């Protein structure tokens, strides 16, 4: 009997040992030296780098992504192609070419959506070649602000609208290192298929609006769980405007570009073609014009305006026009009546085809001033005959101007004479409009250089009112192609990104990798904001434009140690990058960009009642972004609960048998001693 019990105990112990041995063996290859608890945590819980989809709100509800509750989400990882019938929520690994179909199914199949714990998206430059197009935006972006009635027109043929829907689960775009981390942990699954384990993703992407139950902009602003989308636009004049003298003010030729874009993922929004190519073309034109002699003798005033918040209800242009109505300090020196014509530079990064850079001029209306701008574009084209540049008028069958800042100008004043220059005619040629795939590889730098060249000469023709193509001054205007190419890598790549010498010559950037998402507006809006609340790109643009459009009195420079100059017409540039900045004479200002339906008072934001006289305010969604603490994703391996239960039962069995064995052995030994 004793031998039988001992054999039984040995078998039970062996079963328990074998059940836990595979797990030990799976870790043995990885553990080389663990010297602390953090070392063990790093080994067990792998932090995954990437870019989150966040929760955005408007007056009517929510869009974007978030953990469904106040706790972390932990769910097993499975590739979308392996999904069959899910019993419990899973983390779905989706590739970029599967995104559109996946999120469309989520929106239409509630049963499927209920089994989604979270989503990891695998993307990269290789998907741009595989995809014919991917745009998470709408067919007619921001159609509610259109100055014409045909809002069903399909400007964006690659549209899927998936970024405008509400997803009650976290979504995370993996970086290259994140893709490697996830693939590494999944590759080990084949080697340990018998260990009763699962590879899981843990999402810590809890939004404050979810915690507080504030599910629209009005509610979250009242509770302080969100902030308005916005930032700071920048404008500058060439030459500087004498604000103190209102006599003999020149007509203004206003040139406009945008600096913000959007995508499904908050911090992966480059917007290379739409709109950064237009911004870089504008800066290239400013750089070229700053080297022209006698610029102060031009008959008209050149003003450059770079807007932010345009993706979210044309916040920048609407606020700029509102500040003009208020005659505020942010636009001192300008007025509505002084603006004679507007030239907007839109998407110009994909104009190159067949060795020719072709751009299309979309006009707001037929007028003598608009015709003057079109003529100037034609003259500029002819003066650049050797550059193979072609300017064509947009198709008259188009319903009107494409989605652009000019829509805000037209809604404000239908008599606005303006032209927007684009690389497309009837619909977007950018098949990755408002997508994370609209990066530097999606555009051609020569196209941007060509657009900058045309714009620079067009502006000189308009401001000088000289249509003579043989004009020596016109022929001397040349865009620096190397400057344009450097600027593209600064604003559209993470290497070198904002750490490039060009940017660091003006500011000390807080981030290396540029993010062209508008972001939120912090603190009280001001024309002289606290610079810690102003984004890197806005601060760079302010310093760059102030430098290029400046004049120095008496060819002397003065130092500004604390960012302040003694004279009212001077501004301090390069104060961030150097211990001492330089004072120059320049008319360059920040303009807060936020909804005209919002008011900041006593440290809080409130929504103003609708005003029937503000047609754009009547349809303004009033976008806000939920506050959040941390946005992190980890991947790691866990044992199945059934396996844990089996180990527990085995342990209890061993303990019970051991106890019985001890009692039996004690009885046998006692009897043996009595017999002796």
């Amino acid at each position: 009997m004793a031998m039988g019990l001992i054999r039984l105990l040995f078998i039970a112990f062996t079963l328990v040992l074998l059940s836990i041995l595979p797990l030990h063996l799976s870790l043995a290859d990885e553990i080389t030296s663990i010297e602390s608890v953090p070392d063990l945590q790093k080994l067990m819980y792998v932090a995954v780098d990437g870019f989150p989809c966040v929760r955005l709100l408007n007056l009517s509800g929510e869009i974007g992504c978030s953990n469904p509750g106040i706790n972390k989400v932990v769910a097993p990882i499975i590739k979308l192609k392996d999904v069959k019938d899910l019993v419990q929520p899973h983390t779905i690994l989706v590739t970029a070419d599967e995104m559109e179909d996946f999120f469309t199914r989520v929106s239409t199949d509630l049963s499927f959506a209920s089994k989604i714990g979270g989503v990891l998206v695998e993307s990269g430059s290789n998907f741009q070649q595989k995809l014919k197009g991917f745009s998470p935006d709408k067919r007619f972006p921001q159609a509610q602000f259109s100055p014409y009635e045909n809002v069903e027109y399909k400007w964006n043929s690659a549209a899927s609208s998936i970024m405008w829907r509400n997803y009650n689960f976290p979504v995370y775009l993996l970086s290259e290192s994140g893709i490697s981390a996830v693939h590494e942990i999944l590759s080990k699954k084949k080697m340990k298929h018998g260990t009763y384990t699962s590879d899981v993703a843990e999402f810590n992407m809890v939004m404050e609006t979810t915690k507080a139950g504030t599910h629209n902009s009005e509610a979250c602003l009242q509770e302080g769980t969100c902030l308005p989308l916005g930032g700071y636009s920048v404008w500058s004049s060439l030459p500087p405007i004498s604000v103190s003298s209102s006599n003999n003010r020149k007509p203004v030729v206003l040139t406009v570009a945008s600096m913000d874009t959007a995508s499904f993922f908050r911090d992966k929004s480059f917007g290379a073609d739409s709109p950064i190519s237009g911004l870089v073309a504008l800066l290239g034109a400013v750089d070229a014009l700053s080297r022209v002699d006698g610029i102060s003798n031009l008959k008209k005033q050149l003003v450059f305006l770079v807007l932010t918040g345009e993706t979210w209800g044309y916040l920048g242009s609407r606020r700029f026009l509102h500040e003009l109505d208020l005659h505020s300090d942010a636009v001192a020196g300008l007025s509505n009546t002084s603006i004679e014509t507007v030239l907007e530079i839109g998407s110009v990064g994909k104009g190159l085809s067949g060795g020719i850079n072709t751009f299309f001029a979309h006009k707001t209306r037929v007028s003598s001033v608009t015709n003057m701008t079109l003529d100037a574009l034609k003259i500029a084209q002819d003066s650049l005959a050797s550059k193979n540049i072609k300017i064509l008028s947009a198709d008259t069958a188009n319903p009107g101007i494409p989605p652009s800042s000019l829509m805000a100008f037209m809604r404000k004043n239908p008599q606005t004479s303006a032209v927007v220059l684009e690389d497309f005619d009837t619909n977007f040629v950018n098949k990755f409009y408002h997508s994370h795939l609209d990066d530097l590889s999606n555009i051609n730098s020569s196209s941007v250089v060509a657009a900058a060249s045309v714009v620079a000469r067009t502006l000189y023709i308009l401001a000088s009112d000289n249509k003579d193509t043989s004009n020596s001054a016109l022929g001397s205007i040349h865009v620096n192609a190397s400057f344009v190419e450097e600027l593209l890598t600064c604003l559209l790549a993470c290497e070198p990104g904002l750490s490039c010498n060009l940017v660091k010559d003006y500011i000390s950037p807080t981030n290396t990798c540029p993010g062209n998402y508008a972001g939120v507006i912090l603190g009280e809006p001001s024309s002289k904001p606290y610079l810690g609340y102003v984004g890197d790109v806005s601060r760079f643009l302010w310093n760059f434009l102030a430098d290029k459009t400046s004049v120095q009195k008496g060819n002397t420079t003065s130092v500004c140690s604390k960012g302040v100059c003694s004279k009212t017409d001077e501004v301090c540039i390069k104060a961030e990058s150097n211990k001492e900045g330089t004072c120059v004479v320049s008319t360059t200002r920040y303009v807060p960009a936020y909804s005209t339906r919002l008011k900041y008072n006593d440290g809080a934001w409130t929504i103003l009642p609708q005003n029937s006289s503000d047609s754009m305010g009547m349809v303004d969604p009033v976008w806000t972004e939920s506050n959040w603490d941390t946005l992190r994703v980890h991947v790691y391996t866990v044992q199945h609960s059934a396996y844990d239960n089996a180990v527990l039962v085995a342990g209890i069995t061993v303990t019970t048998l051991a106890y019985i064995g001890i009692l039996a052995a004690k009885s046998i030994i006692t009897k043996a001693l009595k017999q002796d």
Side-chain angles (χ1 to χ4, degrees), residues 54 88 181 369 442 466 525:
V54 299
Q88 63 176 359
V369 176
N442 191 42
N466 187 341

Side-chain angles (χ1 to χ4, degrees), residues 78 81 345 553:
I78 185 173
K81 64 181 182 180
I345 314 173
K553 290 185 176 179

Side-chain angles (χ1 to χ4, degrees), residues 11-25:
I11 293 171
F13 177 76
T14 302
L15 288 172
V16 173
L17 181 62
L18 288 174
S19 67
I20 63 175
L21 186 59
L23 182 59
H24 288 192
L25 291 175

Side-chain angles (χ1 to χ4, degrees), residues 570-590:
E570 292 182 333
V571 295
C572 180
I573 63 172
K574 301 186 179 182
E576 288 185 50
S577 58
N578 303 316
K579 291 183 179 179
E580 295 180 337
T582 303
C583 287
V584 296
V585 177
S586 177
T587 308
T588 303
R589 297 191 177 87
Y590 289 110

Side-chain angles (χ1 to χ4, degrees), residues 163-201:
M163 66 180 283
W164 298 103
R165 298 169 188 158
N166 179 18
Y167 303 102
N168 202 31
F169 48 78
V171 182
Y172 198 70
L173 174 67
L174 299 170
S175 66
E176 289 186 9
S177 63
I179 292 172
S180 298
V182 172
H183 278 222
E184 183 178 356
I185 196 170
L186 291 178
S187 66
K188 294 175 182 177
K189 189 171 187 178
K190 296 179 181 178
M191 297 185 291
K192 55 187 180 183
H193 63 276
T195 61
Y196 308 99
T197 61
S198 292
D199 300 317
V200 301

Side-chain angles (χ1 to χ4, degrees), residues 292 457 460 466 468-478:
V292 175
R457 295 196 178 191
Y460 184 83
N466 187 341
D468 183 7
T469 56
S470 63
N471 187 327
S472 60
L474 182 64
S476 69
I477 301 174
H478 297 286

Side-chain angles (χ1 to χ4, degrees), residues 299 462 527:
K299 296 180 180 180
L462 289 172
S527 60

